[in-house]
Amino acid sequence: MINSPYQTKQINTLKHKDAKTNKVLVSFTKKVKKVDPVAFYQINKPAYDGERFFWTSPDDHTAIVGVGHLHTFFNRRADDRFSQIEAEWNELLASAVINNPFQAPGTGPLLFGGFSFDPYSVKEEKWGPFGDALFYLPEYMLTITGEDCYLTVNLFESEEMLPHSNQVKKSFDLLIDNVKRSEITSPNLVNKEELSVPEWLKSVSEVIDELKTSGTVDKVVLSRELKLSFSEPLLTDYVLEQLNTQQQDSFIFMLETSDGSFAGASPERLVKKMNDQVLSTSLAGSIGRSDNPKRDKELGNMLLNDEKNLFEHALVVEMIKKALEPYCEELDIPNEPVLLKTPYIQHLYTPVCGVSKPGTSIFHLVGELHPTPALGGVPTDRAMQIIRDKEKMDRGFYASPIGWTDFQGNGEFIVAIRSGLLKGKQSYLYAGCGLVADSDPSDELKETSIKFQPMLQAIGGKSE
């Protein structure tokens, strides 16, 4: 039970309460017994279908799971979407009453969501519910950091009712009792279709020709799409459980809407901010894996000495450096990349660490870093225009920033690769490749096929 739940800490004066309802955001956090995050994601299903999110980080063993949408932040205004979401979040926090005696990042009021890859690209109906920015403040949230587990309950409450409400106490008791993981199976896979492959190869060849001759662009990333059809609607619970089991070295995420969910297992952090400590990573240049340890090592050494991939990687490192310098008092960047290995792919990896200047928010950093050359190109403006002309599809939230920020300004965003859109009986998977002047279209097709594998493995099911 909670001791004195309304002995609260006010973030600010109650000057931004809802004028119509006279209600303010009230948030309570309590330390609880360890709870299975996947089981918590499944609580009260189907009552919360379309109103859940899931996040795990592989390096600090953090899991954040939200159920129920207390408040939704949605944006289709391309020019100011980063600043607008931040402004709306800050306005809500300015009137919030928060009872959170813990300093653990990811507890208390928290936003989870993301931004579309390109608000100026062609728009497809299947991505409509996500807009160009979509974030949720959950009703109930589980946060696991190492061995510690926290439960946060958020609600809108009238000031007059605060001393009398017992809703929070009941919520804690209900949510942590008898949380058990459900048994869920996958429907049969009935069709797998790689969309527009000849057209995509033609576009790749045309982009490579421009890279060789124009002198105005160094790199362009082109992506393609794989459509899967199933005998029955694919459940997000099943996909999440598979990703959580198979891709433990990646960031696992799920963002639901009432009409489609976005899921993936990304190895690539965009930016992490904890107090004034900033971490971004360059993850560009990749090659496959082998079950034979000797061959796997040979492949890694090939990647570490491949001029094309090293050039591509260096472009990303330089871009991150330029993006972070205005917001950081100091930066630490290694001289050479190392290997980062995931189950199907190994990458060139360089961490970029810094100390942020006062007043820097994670939204500032996300806005400057997106899109990195690893998913857009160099220079950014010209590469993005080529992508719009040649890809002829809506990436939606694929390759976009997705993540979280809490009321203290901590947060983490990843680049949403190795991902797909789950929509009823269909799923759409996405994969991309970095093109430079000496790229080969057939090699790039093979690379994207490898990059489909994490999501294919998680949702493939049985063929009829």
Side-chain angles (χ1 to χ4, degrees):
M1 303 297 179
I2 313 171
N3 294 320
S4 302
Y6 290 101
Q7 294 177 2
T8 59
K9 169 190 174 184
Q10 286 187 258
I11 294 284
N12 205 329
T13 59
L14 299 177
K15 60 183 179 181
H16 288 293
K17 60 177 176 284
D18 190 309
K20 294 181 180 179
T21 64
N22 200 39
K23 292 184 176 182
V24 297
L25 170 62
V26 184
S27 180
F28 304 86
T29 300
K30 180 184 179 183
K31 205 167 187 178
V32 296
K33 66 183 181 182
K34 198 74 171 282
V35 177
D36 178 354
V38 175
F40 187 85
Y41 177 83
Q42 296 172 341
I43 64 171
N44 289 330
K45 183 179 172 58
Y48 290 114
D49 274 358
E51 297 187 4
R52 301 176 294 177
F53 66 76
F54 186 97
W55 166 278
T56 59
S57 173
D59 53 359
D60 59 6
H61 306 291
T62 294
I64 302 175
V65 189
V67 295
H69 295 167
L70 182 68
H71 191 74
T72 300
F73 299 77
F74 185 86
N75 192 304
R76 290 193 187 277
R77 303 210 304 257
D79 291 336
D80 63 350
R81 56 192 181 141
F82 299 102
S83 59
Q84 184 62 35
I85 294 295
E86 180 181 18
E88 292 179 10
W89 176 230
N90 287 338
E91 183 176 4
L92 186 64
L93 289 179
S95 64
V97 180
I98 300 172
N99 179 4
N100 182 0
F102 311 102
Q103 296 300 312
T107 62
L110 174 146
L111 279 192
F112 184 91
F115 300 91
S116 67
F117 178 76
D118 180 10
Y120 302 105
S121 72
V122 59
K123 297 298 182 183
E124 295 179 12
E125 184 179 353
K126 63 178 180 280
W127 284 107
F130 292 84
D132 287 312
L134 176 65
F135 285 83
Y136 296 137
L137 169 66
E139 292 183 66
Y140 311 112
M141 186 177 73
L142 183 77
T143 305
I144 300 173
T145 58
E147 295 302 314
D148 296 323
C149 189
Y150 306 88
L151 186 63
T152 296
V153 178
N154 301 307
L155 64 151
F156 284 120
E157 187 60 274
S158 300
E159 291 180 67
E160 296 80 5
M161 293 297 295
L162 289 179
H164 309 291
S165 173
N166 64 358
Q167 178 179 348
V168 175
K169 181 181 289 188
K170 291 180 179 178
S171 297
F172 279 127
D173 294 339
L174 290 171
L175 285 170
I176 63 174
D177 289 340
N178 301 315
V179 176
K180 295 180 180 179
R181 191 178 296 202
S182 304
E183 292 293 330
I184 301 170
T185 59
S186 171
N188 290 328
L189 175 66
V190 297
N191 190 51
K192 182 169 70 172
E193 180 184 4
E194 298 189 39
L195 302 179
S196 306
V197 172
E199 293 85 351
W200 186 81
L201 285 170
K202 182 174 182 291
S203 292
V204 169
S205 295
E206 291 171 350
V207 171
I208 292 172
D209 288 342
E210 181 166 353
L211 290 167
K212 290 178 178 177
T213 60
S214 71
T216 61
V217 60
D218 296 315
K219 176 188 175 182
V220 176
V221 179
L222 283 191
S223 300
R224 65 188 187 98
E225 189 175 10
L226 175 65
K227 181 180 179 182
L228 306 177
S229 298
F230 294 86
S231 58
E232 301 292 338
L234 189 66
L235 297 177
T236 58
D237 305 58
Y238 174 82
V239 175
L240 181 60
E241 189 161 349
Q242 296 303 304
L243 289 173
N244 214 38
T245 300
Q246 299 166 7
Q247 302 293 327
Q248 296 182 6
D249 293 331
S250 295
F251 294 90
I252 309 299
F253 62 89
M254 177 75 72
L255 177 64
E256 295 186 352
T257 75
S258 60
D259 186 20
S261 300
F262 182 54
S266 174
E268 184 167 358
R269 174 186 286 112
L270 182 66
V271 64
K272 179 178 183 178
K273 184 176 184 293
M274 295 292 155
N275 298 313
D276 63 352
Q277 299 299 302
V278 174
L279 172 63
S280 184
T281 55
S282 172
L283 199 72
S286 59
I287 199 168
R289 300 291 309 274
S290 173
D291 292 334
N292 182 300
K294 182 178 178 181
R295 176 58 180 162
D296 193 61
K297 185 176 181 179
E298 289 175 351
L299 289 169
N301 287 333
M302 287 171 57
L303 181 60
L304 287 169
N305 293 280
D306 182 81
E307 290 186 9
K308 179 260 187 187
N309 280 289
L310 288 169
F311 173 70
E312 180 183 340
H313 186 85
L315 291 174
V316 180
V317 174
E318 183 62 23
M319 179 272 180
I320 293 173
K321 177 184 176 183
K322 289 182 178 179
L324 293 183
E325 277 180 333
Y327 296 97
C328 291
E329 294 177 340
E330 56 184 80
L331 285 176
D332 181 18
I333 306 174
N335 293 325
E336 296 180 349
V338 296
L339 291 176
L340 186 148
K341 299 192 177 191
T342 63
Y344 297 97
I345 310 165
Q346 44 193 323
H347 304 269
L348 295 177
Y349 169 83
T350 297
V352 180
C353 303
V355 177
S356 65
K357 295 178 180 178
T360 296
S361 79
I362 196 166
F363 288 106
H364 294 145
L365 304 176
V366 170
E368 288 297 321
L369 288 167
H370 176 74
T372 74
L375 279 307
V378 179
T380 301
D381 290 345
R382 178 59 186 144
M384 293 294 286
Q385 188 57 56
I386 294 173
I387 291 170
R388 293 174 196 134
D389 293 342
K390 299 298 183 181
E391 257 188 14
K392 299 180 175 62
M393 72 172 191
D394 184 1
R395 291 191 187 184
F397 271 36
Y398 164 69
S400 68
I402 188 167
W404 60 272
T405 183
D406 65 21
F407 76 104
Q408 301 179 92
N410 302 307
E412 185 164 26
F413 281 76
I414 61 168
V415 181
I417 55 176
R418 315 292 185 267
S419 57
L421 175 65
L422 317 177
K423 200 172 181 74
K425 294 183 180 181
Q426 276 75 47
S427 295
Y428 303 86
L429 310 188
Y430 299 86
C433 57
L435 305 179
V436 292
D438 59 350
S439 293
D440 178 81
S442 61
D443 290 341
E444 304 303 334
L445 185 67
K446 292 177 184 176
E447 180 177 326
T448 53
S449 295
I450 293 172
K451 291 175 178 177
F452 282 134
Q453 292 305 310
M455 283 298 291
L456 268 175
Q457 180 72 15
I459 72 176
K462 300 177 181 179
S463 297
E464 287 188 341

